[in-house]
């Protein structure tokens, strides 16, 4: 039991200290080794340095190997879309079309299109906030509702639900289950409708409550407004073209070229590759789609970019912290997995239900909440239990596509608790606090996605794909 106590203590410290602002890069190895040390006191033979170099760092490196291209290209694509003015052009066009009286819907749609097109959630927040700020001010709607509105378009259905989403949360399950980004499209669409509809209803209710109470935009003494220069923005069609390219090329490659058998991947099963086409097809499709879209965006907007080289460099550098943070969390999870006491935790997670759909939905959500990261929690959960879930699914006639979609959806629930890095960043960009805006963020990105997940689990158990 001492080993279990060490695991629980390390997890509690990870949550608390990460919330207090200490980087996961430092926390993850220290707390993982602390749990291993306590487990050693409890009777398991533990070698601290070997655990660090041969378990933590090996898992860290393996995760970076598998997902660095997606993090890298996603960050570069987002930066190119931002610097070219394409992200602002899309948001501005939608806002102008719908008007200030429909500012909530305008912001949600703007963010959704950008996020679904592959633009990083962080880039989206920076690009859309100035427009949201002006719209909410003009409509005299409380500024405190802006973070929840942006969260609906970026932290929910476009991240985990919509089939084909190039976001990392939809890419992580692919090598585990041999699937692609369009896995279980009907389940994904059901979840997306629930999250989008529920979020819009909630925000509309909150706006009405504020109006009824006579609450307006509010007084924010240190607030600055950024003027949008329309003269140098690309046209809406030109701005949307790279997004259609990402989605279209990914769809064609994953469904009609690679997986359809038009690409002979038999050589992959031989040395030095020793893998299967199904394990890499989804990732390859996404990488190619992003590369082509980045090049197209640069070509379309070459004169608008101050320096294409600087834009690409900044995007590449910006991807490093995200991939290293998540890799550290995965390293942490693998150390915990190696401990004898984790067998008790593992059996508890698997013992929740003999059905892998239910067990996976719970374990991914719990670990995403513990780490405060959708990608980190899902990576840990699938790294530990993914193979067993796949085996259980095959035995019970459950499609790997269903397991992919459930894992992706489950990652977007408890991950958005107050210590989540994206939540903290969003509030910082908006110049607001947890006290002012987290109630709406929590409802939009925790409560409603959890309810949506329950609905999807029910449909999945009924055999819907």
């Amino acid at each position: 039991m001492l080993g279990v106590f060490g695991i629980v203590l390390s997890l509690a410290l990870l949550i608390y200290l990460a919330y207090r602002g200490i980087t996961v890069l430092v926390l993850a190895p220290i707390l993982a080794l602390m749990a291993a040390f306590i487990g050693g006191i409890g009777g398991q033979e533990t070698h601290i340095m070997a655990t660090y170099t041969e378990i933590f760092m090996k898992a860290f490196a393996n995760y970076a190997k598998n997902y660095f291209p997606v993090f890298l290209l996603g960050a570069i694509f987002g930066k190119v879309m931002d610097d070219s003015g394409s992200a602002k052009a899309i948001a501005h066009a939608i806002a102008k079309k719908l008007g200030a009286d429909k500012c909530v819907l305008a912001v949600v749609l703007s963010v959704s299109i950008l996020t679904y097109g592959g633009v990083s959630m962080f880039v989206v927040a920076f690009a859309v906030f100035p427009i949201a700020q002006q719209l909410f001010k003009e409509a005299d709607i409380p500024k405190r509702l802006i973070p929840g509105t942006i969260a609906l378009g970026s932290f929910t259905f476009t991240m985990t639900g919509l089939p084909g989403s190039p976001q990392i949360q939809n890419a992580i399950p692919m090598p585990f289950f041999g699937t692609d980004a369009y896995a279980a499209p009907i389940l994904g669409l059901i979840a997306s409708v629930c999250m989008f509809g529920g979020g819009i209803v909630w925000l509309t209710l909150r706006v009405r409550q504020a109006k009824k109470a006579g609450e307006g935009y509010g007084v924010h003494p240190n607030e600055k407004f950024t003027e949008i220069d329309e003269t140098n923005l690309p046209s809406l069609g030109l701005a949307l073209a790279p997004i259609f390219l990402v989605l279209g090329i990914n769809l064609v490659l994953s469904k009609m070229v690679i997986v359809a058998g038009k690409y002979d991947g038999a050589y992959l099963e031989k040395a030095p590759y020793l893998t299967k086409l199904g394990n890499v097809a989804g990732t390859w499709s996404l990488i190619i789609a992003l590369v082509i879209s980045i090049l197209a965006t640069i070509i379309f907007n070459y004169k608008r970019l101050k320096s294409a080289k600087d834009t690409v460099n900044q995007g590449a550098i910006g991807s490093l912290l995200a991939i290293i943070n998540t890799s550290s969390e995965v390293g942490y999870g693998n150390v915990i997995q190696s401990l004898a006491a984790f067998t008790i935790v593992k059996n508890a997670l698997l013992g929740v239900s003999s059905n892998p759909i239910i067990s996976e939905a719970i374990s991914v959500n719990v670990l995403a909440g513990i780490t405060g990261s959708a990608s980190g929690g899902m990576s840990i959960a699938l790294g530990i239990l993914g193979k067993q879930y796949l085996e259980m699914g095959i035995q019970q006639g459950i499609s790997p596509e269903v397991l992919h979609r459930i894992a992706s959806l489950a990652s977007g629930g408890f991950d958005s608790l107050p210590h989540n890095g994206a939540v903290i960043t969003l509030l910082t960009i908006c110049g607001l606090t947890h006290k002012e805006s987290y109630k709406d963020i929590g409802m939009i990105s925790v409560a409603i996605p959890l309810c949506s997940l329950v609905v999807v689990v029910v449909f999945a158990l009924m055999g819907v794909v």
Side-chain angles (χ1 to χ4, degrees):
M1 290 302 294
L2 188 60
V4 175
F5 169 75
I7 293 173
V8 173
L9 178 62
S10 73
L11 289 173
L13 287 173
L14 180 65
I15 294 173
Y16 174 75
L17 295 175
Y19 180 68
R20 300 294 297 177
I22 300 178
T23 176
V24 173
L25 297 179
V26 174
L27 288 178
I30 291 175
L31 294 178
L33 296 178
M34 182 194 79
F37 177 75
I38 294 175
I41 296 175
Q44 177 186 3
E45 185 178 5
T46 304
H47 301 281
I48 297 300
M49 290 309 299
T51 298
Y52 176 64
T53 60
E54 302 308 309
I55 299 178
F56 183 95
M57 287 308 303
K58 188 174 288 186
F60 178 107
N62 189 56
Y63 183 86
K65 185 268 289 185
N66 288 334
Y67 297 109
F68 179 66
V70 179
F71 276 89
L72 173 67
L73 295 171
I76 292 174
F77 180 61
K79 186 62 177 171
V80 171
M81 287 288 287
D82 188 22
D83 285 2
S84 68
S86 298
K88 289 185 177 67
I90 293 170
H92 187 266
I94 293 173
K96 194 172 181 180
K97 183 72 174 176
L98 293 179
D101 59 323
K102 294 184 178 65
C103 63
V104 169
L105 180 60
V107 172
V108 172
L109 289 178
S110 301
V111 174
S112 300
I113 290 172
L114 290 168
T115 310
Y116 186 47
V119 181
S120 161
M121 292 176 285
F122 298 102
V123 172
V124 167
F126 277 109
V128 175
F129 171 67
I131 296 170
Q133 186 184 32
Q134 292 178 357
L135 287 173
F136 275 60
K137 176 74 172 176
E138 185 179 340
D140 202 27
I141 294 174
K143 181 186 177 183
R144 60 182 174 80
L145 297 179
I146 293 179
T149 305
I150 293 176
L152 175 57
S154 57
F155 295 175
T156 62
F157 63 99
T158 55
M159 183 178 86
T160 64
L162 285 180
S165 173
Q167 296 297 332
I168 190 67
Q169 291 79 7
N170 191 38
I172 288 172
M174 295 193 297
F176 289 99
F177 302 124
T179 50
D180 57 50
Y182 290 87
I186 297 176
L187 291 179
L189 289 172
I190 290 171
S192 298
V193 169
C194 291
M195 286 186 271
F196 176 78
I200 289 294
V201 168
W202 172 259
L203 290 170
T204 301
L205 177 64
R206 294 287 283 165
V207 170
R208 287 177 181 171
Q209 289 175 341
K211 293 285 187 183
K212 188 176 181 179
E215 181 185 359
Y217 182 78
V219 179
H220 306 277
N222 299 320
E223 185 174 39
K224 295 180 180 179
F225 284 83
T226 303
E227 292 295 328
I228 306 297
D229 181 11
E230 298 182 47
T231 59
N232 196 38
L233 295 180
S235 66
L236 179 60
L238 195 61
L240 287 171
I243 289 176
F244 289 132
L245 276 175
V246 170
L247 298 173
I249 294 171
N250 190 18
L251 176 63
V252 169
L253 289 177
S254 62
K255 294 295 187 184
M256 304 176 192
V257 178
I258 299 179
V259 178
K262 295 183 179 180
Y263 179 83
D264 184 7
Y267 68 91
L268 288 168
E269 299 181 24
K270 303 174 184 178
Y273 307 110
L274 302 178
T275 187
K276 294 181 180 180
L277 181 60
N279 294 339
V280 297
T283 304
W284 284 7
S285 299
L286 187 53
I287 289 172
I288 294 169
L290 284 168
V291 168
I292 293 174
S293 299
I294 288 168
L295 293 174
T297 309
I298 292 174
I299 293 170
F300 294 161
N301 300 279
Y302 192 78
K303 291 183 179 180
R304 293 185 185 88
L305 293 169
K306 293 180 180 179
S307 170
K309 179 189 71 175
D310 290 346
T311 293
V312 171
N313 286 346
Q314 289 168 15
I317 293 170
S319 71
L320 296 178
L321 183 59
I323 183 66
I324 292 175
N325 273 339
T326 309
S327 297
S328 295
E329 290 168 344
V330 172
Y332 169 86
N334 275 266
V335 171
I336 298 299
Q337 176 192 1
S338 72
L339 303 179
F342 185 74
T343 303
I344 300 172
V345 179
K346 180 179 177 181
N347 290 337
L349 289 172
L350 290 172
V352 171
S353 173
S354 59
N355 190 300
I357 292 174
I358 297 174
S359 179
E360 182 184 51
I362 294 173
S363 62
V364 172
N365 236 313
V366 168
L367 287 167
I370 287 170
T371 59
S373 167
S375 56
M378 177 165 44
S379 297
I380 293 171
L382 295 184
I384 294 170
L385 301 170
K387 186 176 180 180
Q388 285 180 267
Y389 285 143
L390 182 59
E391 291 173 353
M392 292 167 65
I394 292 172
Q395 291 171 3
Q396 298 179 32
I398 297 170
S399 167
E401 290 198 351
V402 172
L403 296 175
H404 171 132
R405 187 55 55 201
I406 294 297
S408 183
L409 290 168
S411 74
F414 286 137
D415 70 304
S416 294
L417 292 174
H419 62 295
N420 174 273
V423 170
I424 295 170
T425 300
L426 176 58
L427 290 171
T428 301
I429 292 170
C430 296
L432 294 163
T433 64
H434 280 79
K435 183 178 180 180
E436 291 172 308
S437 295
Y438 186 74
K439 177 180 179 179
D440 298 295
I441 295 176
M443 180 59 71
I444 292 294
S445 61
V446 179
I448 293 175
L450 287 176
C451 293
S452 302
L453 177 62
V454 171
V455 172
V456 170
V457 165
V458 172
F459 275 101
L461 293 175
M462 293 167 57
V464 176
V465 180

